[in-house]
Amino acid sequence: MTTTMHAPPATRSGGAAPEPASRDGDPRWVRPALLGLLVATALLYLWGLGASGWANAFYSAAAQAGSVSWKAFFYGSSDAANSITVDKTPASLWIMDLSVRLFGLSSWSILVPQALEGVAAVGVLYAAVRRWSGPAAGLLAGAVLALTPVATLMFRFNNPDALLVLLLVAAAWAMVRALERAGTRWLLLAAAFVGFAFLAKMLQALLVVPAFALVYLLAAPTTLRRRLLQLVAAGLALVASAGWWVAIVELVPASMRPWIGGSQTNSVLELMLGYNGLGRLTGNETGSVGGGPGGGWGQTGWTRLLAGEVGGQVAWLLPAALVALGAGLWLVRRAPRTDGTRAALLLWGGWLLVTGLVFSFMQGIFHAYYTVALAPAIGALVGIGAVALWRRRGQLWATATLAVTLALTALWSAALLGRSPGWNPWLRGAVLAVGLAAALLLAFREQLTVRAGRLLAAAGLAAALAGPAAYSLQTAATAHSGAIVTAGPTVTAAAAGGPGGFGQVAGGGQPPQGAFQGQGGGPGGGGFAGGPGGGGRGGLLNGSTVSSELVALLERDASSYTWVAATAGANNAAGYQLATGEPVMPIGGFNGSDPSPSLAQFERYVAEGRIHYFIGGGQGMGGNGGGSAAQQIAAWVADNFTATTVGGVTVYDLTT
């Protein structure tokens, strides 16, 4: 037997006259407000987008490869000759690949899809929250997501996180629809969205599954037996939608496909369970640039999401979201099992708590931009909780909770702004003054007219969003490139705190120039192996800067070779590949630590005349259990071929 979920009434409190409604029952202001939100989000994410160039050159080069080779498209190869894949599943690349095929290779064709994914995520979050909590809650949720600094960063960048967030928000929207009438099709669609999100960023996508499953088991309006059977079917749908690509890659003989980047055994199962899976939790990531558990990725613990630069990425409204979750659950404590508000709070609250705890305590690779996965849940909880409390502002406890939350948010925003004391110092005082004044005036709510109440709500909302909005505008106005990026202005060293890990750079925009750069080095240079001579100022984090002289050399007779060049490390190779449009072999993959190709394989490629040049100065980390193939190849080339300098870069002609 199927019944309808109990949804909260979208009525106004305080005895005010109802507003004129549109055909769908919403007040007439809703559609213009939604359109304004989406247009403003698009402007924020698209304005000046080309300033970031190739952004993350590692993924841009893979997009270039996939745009000219369908095999590279399917596997997510770093180069069109399919020597090795990127160290992620390729779904996010597929969107970029198609864009480059249609519009040609440029920073805009690579980055615009990410921005549009961000606008879509805001719209879908609005739709998901609106169904049970009304349009005001949906608009507030969408605005919080749009203005979260790390969301502005990632939706203007070409990491897999943009597509991951969109698909997870779409999965939550489908869950909302499934919960309304215990709809099997909607539940299967939600599972399929999560499965496809897995193909964007592997196991991180599954962090929402516990919350989704438990909420459906608790709140779906049907019998327990049917709920259990539906969840089993959803689990199968998730495995199928996530596993088809994995199964194909595992079944294809290794000789017929590229090496799986990020793995040490050429296995996508190893990649998803090790380096990109359980290794992120334990710190045991073979081939990683870190040094074992906790290997330089910042202090773990309860305060990780609030401390240092991480706080300014996503945590502006995190305390408010937690208060909203607690207050909302208290509000519906006597509601029926199928109550929509409680289901929504548990769905988004479970998303926030599970993902937040994993990020807080994971011992492996952690970057501040990962926290973009928390932004939709924070937005939804703030929207649902704020509107629910505002509707009950005639009750003392609701008003007190609103006032305390607003004051807490203003104080926390001021603390975050204080971590960048030289950046717009006036803003900190303004947020404090407006926020605390609005919180205090809530005590006189009964004496306020309807218009004054609305102005008070607008002032409180402005104070709450001013900090993240300012950070987001600064982020949109700043070019970002390389493998590790952060939103907002520079964070002082004292505020950053914690170990000096890769993800804990004190300086909100970019890592320090020269950090982890492979510029010569050799085996003794901190693990970097480029052979004698200088590289093209590329390295572990950034693509190489390539001179016109070197481009002309690489393009000469390029069609006669499978790879116009080889160099250690995928980011180093990416710069040369993007400059020439020709395949460049990235020895060792992203970290330079993957055992691909082996020295014997490389020697065979050279003997067959398939590689024209070897470019020195790349990186081969070989750390944390990784292989040393890159070092061996660099040494063999230096021993057997003559070095020349072209455009300041050391080049070996492997055909002479």
Side-chain angles (χ1 to χ4, degrees):
M1 177 179 179
T2 301
T3 57
T4 303
M5 167 162 279
H6 290 79
T11 57
R12 293 166 52 84
S13 62
E19 298 183 13
S22 59
R23 291 182 181 179
D24 58 5
D26 287 337
R28 290 181 179 175
W29 55 264
V30 171
R31 287 188 179 180
L34 175 60
L35 179 62
L37 172 63
L38 296 179
V39 170
T41 303
L43 288 173
L44 178 64
Y45 293 170
L46 287 166
W47 189 267
L49 195 59
S52 292
W54 298 122
N56 191 333
F58 176 64
Y59 292 118
S60 293
Q64 181 275 330
S67 72
V68 297
S69 165
W70 286 112
K71 183 176 180 179
F73 174 95
F74 178 79
Y75 288 108
S77 299
S78 289
D79 60 286
N82 293 286
S83 63
I84 193 170
T85 71
V86 299
D87 58 355
K88 299 289 187 297
T89 36
S92 66
L93 291 174
W94 292 339
I95 310 299
M96 289 185 279
D97 293 351
L98 294 174
S99 177
V100 174
R101 277 183 180 268
L102 288 172
F103 303 108
L105 180 64
S106 70
S107 59
W108 283 88
S109 64
I110 288 172
L111 297 178
V112 166
Q114 323 306 315
L116 297 181
E117 288 163 12
V119 177
V122 170
V124 176
L125 180 62
Y126 161 82
V129 173
R130 174 199 172 277
R131 289 195 69 84
W132 290 344
S133 301
L139 288 167
L140 181 53
V144 171
L145 171 59
L147 293 175
T148 300
V150 72
T152 301
L153 174 71
M154 284 292 101
F155 289 128
R156 294 174 57 90
F157 207 68
N158 58 327
N159 278 15
D161 302 76
L163 183 61
L164 172 75
V165 169
L166 171 59
L167 291 171
L168 293 183
V169 173
W173 167 77
M175 280 296 301
V176 168
R177 302 300 302 269
L179 282 162
E180 289 176 345
R181 296 181 181 272
T184 302
R185 292 181 181 179
W186 286 110
L187 184 62
L188 296 180
L189 179 61
F193 277 131
V194 175
F196 197 64
F198 175 91
L199 294 180
K201 209 177 178 190
M202 293 196 170
L203 291 189
Q204 185 180 334
L206 305 186
L207 294 179
V208 302
V209 171
F212 287 12
L214 288 174
V215 169
Y216 195 84
L217 187 62
L218 171 68
T222 189
T223 64
L224 177 60
R225 180 177 180 275
R226 186 166 183 264
R227 278 175 271 158
L228 290 171
L229 291 175
Q230 287 177 314
L231 286 173
V232 170
L236 295 174
L238 192 158
V239 171
S241 57
W244 65 271
W245 183 86
V246 175
I248 291 174
V249 174
E250 285 295 302
L251 291 173
V252 171
S255 60
M256 298 176 62
R257 60 165 173 79
W259 182 276
I260 303 302
S263 76
Q264 298 296 304
T265 61
N266 199 11
S267 167
V268 70
L269 290 175
E270 180 213 328
L271 178 65
M272 74 183 199
L273 295 175
Y275 177 75
N276 278 336
L278 299 179
R280 298 291 172 116
L281 301 179
T282 65
N284 184 20
E285 300 165 292
T286 301
S288 167
V289 296
W297 305 112
Q299 186 65 46
T300 60
W302 296 100
T303 61
R304 187 182 216 177
L305 299 180
L306 304 176
E309 66 176 6
V310 180
Q313 307 301 296
V314 76
W316 299 86
L317 292 168
L318 178 57
L322 294 175
V323 172
L325 175 61
L329 290 176
W330 172 258
L331 185 67
V332 297
R333 65 192 183 281
R334 295 189 179 92
R337 175 181 67 83
T338 58
D339 180 71
T341 298
R342 179 166 54 207
L345 290 167
L346 291 176
L347 186 148
W348 297 108
W351 174 334
L352 176 62
L353 292 176
V354 173
T355 306
L357 287 173
V358 169
F359 286 168
S360 296
F361 291 95
M362 59 190 286
Q363 297 289 323
I365 296 174
F366 174 78
H367 300 309
Y369 66 77
Y370 291 178
T371 58
V372 68
L374 301 172
I378 292 174
L381 290 171
V382 169
I384 294 169
V387 170
L389 291 171
W390 182 256
R391 286 172 178 163
R392 292 160 179 80
R393 61 190 179 274
Q395 303 175 27
L396 179 60
W397 76 270
T399 302
T401 303
L402 275 173
V404 170
T405 305
L406 181 55
L408 175 64
T409 301
L411 291 168
W412 176 234
S413 293
L416 290 175
L417 291 168
R419 295 177 183 178
S420 304
W423 182 77
N424 292 330
W426 62 269
L427 183 59
R428 186 183 184 191
V431 167
L432 268 178
V434 176
L436 295 179
L440 181 62
L441 287 174
L442 279 172
F444 303 96
R445 66 201 181 285
E446 295 180 355
Q447 287 74 39
L448 297 177
T449 64
V450 172
R451 183 176 182 182
R454 290 174 176 172
L455 290 175
L456 176 62
L461 183 61
L465 294 179
Y471 258 54
S472 289
L473 290 172
Q474 192 276 346
T475 300
T478 303
H480 294 85
S481 62
I484 301 175
V485 289
T486 53
T490 299
V491 174
T492 61
F502 298 163
Q504 300 293 321
V505 177
Q510 302 292 333
Q513 291 297 318
F516 318 112
Q517 302 295 300
Q519 302 182 29
F528 292 83
R537 297 187 301 281
L540 181 59
L541 298 183
N542 298 299
S544 299
T545 302
V546 188
S547 68
S548 58
E549 184 181 3
L550 182 55
V551 170
L553 178 70
L554 296 178
E555 290 179 340
R556 191 177 306 155
D557 201 22
S559 61
S560 300
Y561 303 92
T562 306
W563 295 276
V564 296
T567 190
N571 272 300
N572 202 41
Y576 302 115
Q577 183 167 301
L578 290 167
T580 62
E582 303 291 343
V584 176
M585 177 186 290
I587 300 171
F590 179 80
N591 294 330
S593 59
D594 298 344
S596 172
S598 67
L599 176 58
Q601 289 173 319
F602 189 83
E603 290 177 351
R604 186 173 71 251
Y605 292 147
V606 172
E608 294 170 351
R610 299 180 64 186
I611 308 173
H612 198 173
Y613 297 103
F614 179 86
I615 302 174
Q619 88 283 358
M621 294 298 294
N624 198 19
S628 58
Q631 288 97 328
Q632 294 173 2
I633 290 171
W636 178 79
V637 169
D639 289 342
N640 290 277
F641 297 89
T642 302
T644 59
T645 301
V646 180
V649 176
T650 302
V651 177
Y652 300 84
D653 187 341
L654 302 182
T655 65
T656 59

PDB file of all heavy atoms in Angstrom, residues 28 205 217 237 265 360 411 444 454 515 542 641:
ATOM      1  N   ARG A  28       3.692  35.617  -6.945  1.00  0.00           N
ATOM      2  CA  ARG A  28       4.172  36.076  -8.256  1.00  0.00           C
ATOM      3  C   ARG A  28       5.633  36.495  -8.246  1.00  0.00           C
ATOM      4  O   ARG A  28       6.268  36.551  -9.295  1.00  0.00           O
ATOM      5  CB  ARG A  28       3.288  37.236  -8.734  1.00  0.00           C
ATOM      6  CG  ARG A  28       1.882  36.796  -9.103  1.00  0.00           C
ATOM      7  CD  ARG A  28       1.042  37.959  -9.606  1.00  0.00           C
ATOM      8  NE  ARG A  28      -0.297  37.518  -9.978  1.00  0.00           N
ATOM      9  CZ  ARG A  28      -1.273  38.345 -10.357  1.00  0.00           C
ATOM     10  NH1 ARG A  28      -1.049  39.668 -10.406  1.00  0.00           N
ATOM     11  NH2 ARG A  28      -2.461  37.866 -10.675  1.00  0.00           N
ATOM     12  N   ALA A 205      31.557   9.961  -4.002  1.00  0.00           N
ATOM     13  CA  ALA A 205      30.140  10.053  -4.332  1.00  0.00           C
ATOM     14  C   ALA A 205      29.275   9.227  -3.395  1.00  0.00           C
ATOM     15  O   ALA A 205      28.099   9.547  -3.176  1.00  0.00           O
ATOM     16  CB  ALA A 205      29.916   9.606  -5.777  1.00  0.00           C
ATOM     17  N   LEU A 217      14.289   4.462   4.277  1.00  0.00           N
ATOM     18  CA  LEU A 217      13.825   3.368   5.127  1.00  0.00           C
ATOM     19  C   LEU A 217      12.923   3.895   6.241  1.00  0.00           C
ATOM     20  O   LEU A 217      11.933   3.252   6.610  1.00  0.00           O
ATOM     21  CB  LEU A 217      15.028   2.641   5.730  1.00  0.00           C
ATOM     22  CG  LEU A 217      14.741   1.364   6.529  1.00  0.00           C
ATOM     23  CD1 LEU A 217      14.104   0.303   5.649  1.00  0.00           C
ATOM     24  CD2 LEU A 217      16.032   0.845   7.157  1.00  0.00           C
ATOM     25  N   ALA A 237      20.810  -0.806  -8.872  1.00  0.00           N
ATOM     26  CA  ALA A 237      20.893   0.253  -9.882  1.00  0.00           C
ATOM     27  C   ALA A 237      22.154   1.083  -9.704  1.00  0.00           C
ATOM     28  O   ALA A 237      22.802   1.480 -10.683  1.00  0.00           O
ATOM     29  CB  ALA A 237      19.653   1.147  -9.793  1.00  0.00           C
ATOM     30  N   THR A 265      49.325  -1.264 -10.204  1.00  0.00           N
ATOM     31  CA  THR A 265      49.174  -2.592 -10.824  1.00  0.00           C
ATOM     32  C   THR A 265      48.323  -2.555 -12.082  1.00  0.00           C
ATOM     33  O   THR A 265      47.851  -3.589 -12.534  1.00  0.00           O
ATOM     34  CB  THR A 265      48.555  -3.577  -9.821  1.00  0.00           C
ATOM     35  OG1 THR A 265      47.253  -3.099  -9.436  1.00  0.00           O
ATOM     36  CG2 THR A 265      49.434  -3.719  -8.586  1.00  0.00           C
ATOM     37  N   SER A 360      36.839  15.523   8.031  1.00  0.00           N
ATOM     38  CA  SER A 360      37.514  15.970   9.243  1.00  0.00           C
ATOM     39  C   SER A 360      38.563  14.983   9.723  1.00  0.00           C
ATOM     40  O   SER A 360      39.593  15.388  10.267  1.00  0.00           O
ATOM     41  CB  SER A 360      36.489  16.204  10.359  1.00  0.00           C
ATOM     42  OG  SER A 360      35.604  17.258  10.028  1.00  0.00           O
ATOM     43  N   LEU A 411      29.240  36.818  14.284  1.00  0.00           N
ATOM     44  CA  LEU A 411      30.502  36.706  15.010  1.00  0.00           C
ATOM     45  C   LEU A 411      31.478  35.777  14.299  1.00  0.00           C
ATOM     46  O   LEU A 411      32.683  36.058  14.200  1.00  0.00           O
ATOM     47  CB  LEU A 411      30.235  36.202  16.428  1.00  0.00           C
ATOM     48  CG  LEU A 411      29.508  37.181  17.367  1.00  0.00           C
ATOM     49  CD1 LEU A 411      29.055  36.465  18.633  1.00  0.00           C
ATOM     50  CD2 LEU A 411      30.414  38.359  17.710  1.00  0.00           C
ATOM     51  N   PHE A 444      12.095  42.709  19.402  1.00  0.00           N
ATOM     52  CA  PHE A 444      10.945  43.618  19.309  1.00  0.00           C
ATOM     53  C   PHE A 444      10.063  43.271  18.118  1.00  0.00           C
ATOM     54  O   PHE A 444       9.429  44.140  17.528  1.00  0.00           O
ATOM     55  CB  PHE A 444      11.444  45.070  19.188  1.00  0.00           C
ATOM     56  CG  PHE A 444      12.330  45.499  20.319  1.00  0.00           C
ATOM     57  CD1 PHE A 444      13.710  45.436  20.198  1.00  0.00           C
ATOM     58  CD2 PHE A 444      11.787  45.935  21.518  1.00  0.00           C
ATOM     59  CE1 PHE A 444      14.533  45.823  21.236  1.00  0.00           C
ATOM     60  CE2 PHE A 444      12.612  46.324  22.564  1.00  0.00           C
ATOM     61  CZ  PHE A 444      13.985  46.273  22.432  1.00  0.00           C
ATOM     62  N   ARG A 454      10.081  42.588   7.180  1.00  0.00           N
ATOM     63  CA  ARG A 454      10.776  42.152   5.964  1.00  0.00           C
ATOM     64  C   ARG A 454      12.130  42.835   5.828  1.00  0.00           C
ATOM     65  O   ARG A 454      13.108  42.213   5.405  1.00  0.00           O
ATOM     66  CB  ARG A 454       9.903  42.439   4.742  1.00  0.00           C
ATOM     67  CG  ARG A 454       8.663  41.552   4.645  1.00  0.00           C
ATOM     68  CD  ARG A 454       7.768  41.966   3.500  1.00  0.00           C
ATOM     69  NE  ARG A 454       6.632  41.060   3.368  1.00  0.00           N
ATOM     70  CZ  ARG A 454       5.605  41.261   2.545  1.00  0.00           C
ATOM     71  NH1 ARG A 454       5.579  42.368   1.793  1.00  0.00           N
ATOM     72  NH2 ARG A 454       4.619  40.389   2.487  1.00  0.00           N
ATOM     73  N   ALA A 515      56.670  25.929  -5.638  1.00  0.00           N
ATOM     74  CA  ALA A 515      56.405  24.794  -4.763  1.00  0.00           C
ATOM     75  C   ALA A 515      56.192  23.550  -5.590  1.00  0.00           C
ATOM     76  O   ALA A 515      55.381  23.533  -6.491  1.00  0.00           O
ATOM     77  CB  ALA A 515      55.167  25.074  -3.913  1.00  0.00           C
ATOM     78  N   ASN A 542      51.710  22.353 -11.779  1.00  0.00           N
ATOM     79  CA  ASN A 542      51.376  23.215 -12.912  1.00  0.00           C
ATOM     80  C   ASN A 542      51.913  22.671 -14.217  1.00  0.00           C
ATOM     81  O   ASN A 542      52.939  22.002 -14.250  1.00  0.00           O
ATOM     82  CB  ASN A 542      51.945  24.628 -12.690  1.00  0.00           C
ATOM     83  CG  ASN A 542      51.366  25.295 -11.463  1.00  0.00           C
ATOM     84  OD1 ASN A 542      50.170  25.503 -11.371  1.00  0.00           O
ATOM     85  ND2 ASN A 542      52.225  25.602 -10.499  1.00  0.00           N
ATOM     86  N   PHE A 641      71.806   9.511 -24.956  1.00  0.00           N
ATOM     87  CA  PHE A 641      71.466  10.498 -25.972  1.00  0.00           C
ATOM     88  C   PHE A 641      72.081  11.841 -25.607  1.00  0.00           C
ATOM     89  O   PHE A 641      72.413  12.095 -24.454  1.00  0.00           O
ATOM     90  CB  PHE A 641      69.942  10.621 -26.127  1.00  0.00           C
ATOM     91  CG  PHE A 641      69.288   9.355 -26.612  1.00  0.00           C
ATOM     92  CD1 PHE A 641      68.848   8.397 -25.712  1.00  0.00           C
ATOM     93  CD2 PHE A 641      69.149   9.110 -27.967  1.00  0.00           C
ATOM     94  CE1 PHE A 641      68.270   7.229 -26.142  1.00  0.00           C
ATOM     95  CE2 PHE A 641      68.571   7.929 -28.413  1.00  0.00           C
ATOM     96  CZ  PHE A 641      68.130   6.982 -27.506  1.00  0.00           C
TER      97      PHE A 641
END
